[in-house]
Amino acid sequence: MQMSCIKVKRQDRMKTLRLRQILNIRLSLTRLSAILSITVISPALLNAQESPGLSPRLDEVIVSSTPLDRTLFESAQPITVLSGTELMTKAQGTLGQTLASEPGISSSNFGPGASRPIIRGLGGDRVRILQNGIGTGDVSNTSPDHLVTIEPILLDKIEVIRGPAALLYGTSAVGGVVNTFDNRIPEELPEGPLSGVVEARGGTNDEERAGVFILEAPVGPFALHIDGSKRRTDDIRIPGFARTTELRDSDPIDPEAKGKLPSSSTDTDNITFGTSAIGETGFLGVAYNEFNSDYGVPNGEPDISIDAHAERVDLHGKLNQPLEYLKALETKMAYNEYRHTEFEGADAGTKFKNRSYEGRFELTHETIASFDGLLGFQYQHADFSAL
């Protein structure tokens, strides 16, 4: 009996060892198959963007504000890009409010009508704001209660450039550059006979009513573009008094504003017409824009407002491969007339005027000894007055 028990135990141990060997072999095969499957699948994932049958996992974002158009992953500069659905959901009434939630960016909020981006604590003239690579021509850099003449809802893309790349737009932009892009001068023929966008927005606290439309159509080799917007808001509802207890005690006003913030309403409209001739080697286009805004400046007193008006003409052209060693020849020009009047009730106070010209000329060369680059020239002139 003892011998038979020993034999049974030995047989059980042998079976156990065989089972372990089989399990080890199976585990090894499983790991091998997993490694092989990863090896086989990984190139497909890496080439997903190049394969027409597979949808890309990440959209390619081209940064246009740097000297050479790079993707967001190829650029070593700290860059923030807002476009597509993300821009549509974050767009507010002003450019500062639109970018205020981005890392490293805040807003010089001076009521719903005027706010400007602050980058890493720097604002005013240390942050340059551009429309399609050319300055806005307004006077928003002179005071926080002056608006930026850009309607964020009409934009296709916003790029925020920090670091050395900002020097491309002047030495004063030490804080950074905010470059906004729209399609007022089309660079490609639109698809279909007519395309466009219509959008309506509303808000409860300030009774916001806003509408936007964009229409584009091809006419032979020409592309036509028209867009417009209208936005109106009432005074913002607030809990309690508009002024602090200290101000009410030291400088009483009868009656004290309560429940609503005086002089916080806005009324803004914007219209743009643009066209461009598009060929196989490039395009040349022109656009006209008119911007109007009558907005309140909240400072605890009623009937403080600014009535602003701007007219702008843009010219943009690009020629691809003009010579053997040149990639592209591009020029941008803009003429802007801006004026606004500051009102205290019905009495006109200070009047600001700014007439500006700005142009850029860029020549991009082919790769020479593994170096890419461009040669450029920029001209800017402004006649400014505050009377």
Side-chain angles (χ1 to χ4, degrees), residues 73 99 164 224 236 246 285 365:
F73 293 104
L99 295 171
L224 304 180
I236 297 175
E246 290 77 8
H365 63 75

Coordinates of all heavy atoms in Angstrom, one line a residue, residues 73 99 164 224 236 246 285 365:
F73 N 2.6 69.8 -34.0 CA 3.6 68.9 -33.4 C 5.0 69.2 -33.9 O 6.0 68.9 -33.2 CB 3.2 67.4 -33.7 CG 2.0 67.0 -33.1 CD1 0.8 66.9 -33.8 CD2 2.0 66.7 -31.7 CE1 -0.4 66.5 -33.2 CE2 0.8 66.3 -31.1 CZ -0.4 66.2 -31.8
L99 N -10.7 83.9 -25.2 CA -9.4 83.2 -24.9 C -9.1 83.1 -23.4 O -8.1 82.6 -23.0 CB -8.3 84.0 -25.6 CG -8.2 84.0 -27.1 CD1 -7.2 84.9 -27.6 CD2 -8.0 82.6 -27.6
P164 N 10.0 83.5 -29.0 CA 10.8 84.2 -30.1 C 10.0 84.3 -31.4 O 10.3 85.3 -32.2 CB 12.0 83.3 -30.3 CG 12.2 82.5 -29.0 CD 10.8 82.3 -28.5
L224 N -16.5 84.4 -54.3 CA -17.2 85.5 -53.6 C -17.5 85.2 -52.2 O -17.9 84.0 -51.8 CB -18.5 85.9 -54.3 CG -18.5 86.2 -55.8 CD1 -19.8 86.5 -56.4 CD2 -17.5 87.3 -56.1
I236 N -26.4 94.0 -17.5 CA -26.2 92.7 -16.8 C -26.9 92.7 -15.5 O -26.8 93.7 -14.7 CB -24.7 92.4 -16.6 CG1 -24.0 92.2 -17.9 CG2 -24.5 91.1 -15.8 CD1 -22.5 92.0 -17.8
E246 N -17.9 100.9 0.5 CA -17.0 102.0 0.7 C -17.3 103.2 -0.2 O -17.3 104.3 0.1 CB -15.5 101.6 0.6 CG -15.0 100.6 1.6 CD -15.5 99.2 1.5 OE1 -16.1 98.9 0.4 OE2 -15.3 98.4 2.4
G285 N -6.8 88.7 -54.0 CA -8.2 89.1 -53.6 C -8.2 90.4 -52.8 O -7.2 90.9 -52.3
H365 N 11.9 80.6 -49.7 CA 12.8 79.9 -50.6 C 12.7 78.4 -50.4 O 12.3 77.9 -49.4 CB 14.2 80.4 -50.5 CG 14.8 80.1 -49.1 ND1 15.3 78.9 -48.7 CD2 15.1 81.0 -48.1 CE1 15.8 79.0 -47.5 NE2 15.7 80.2 -47.1

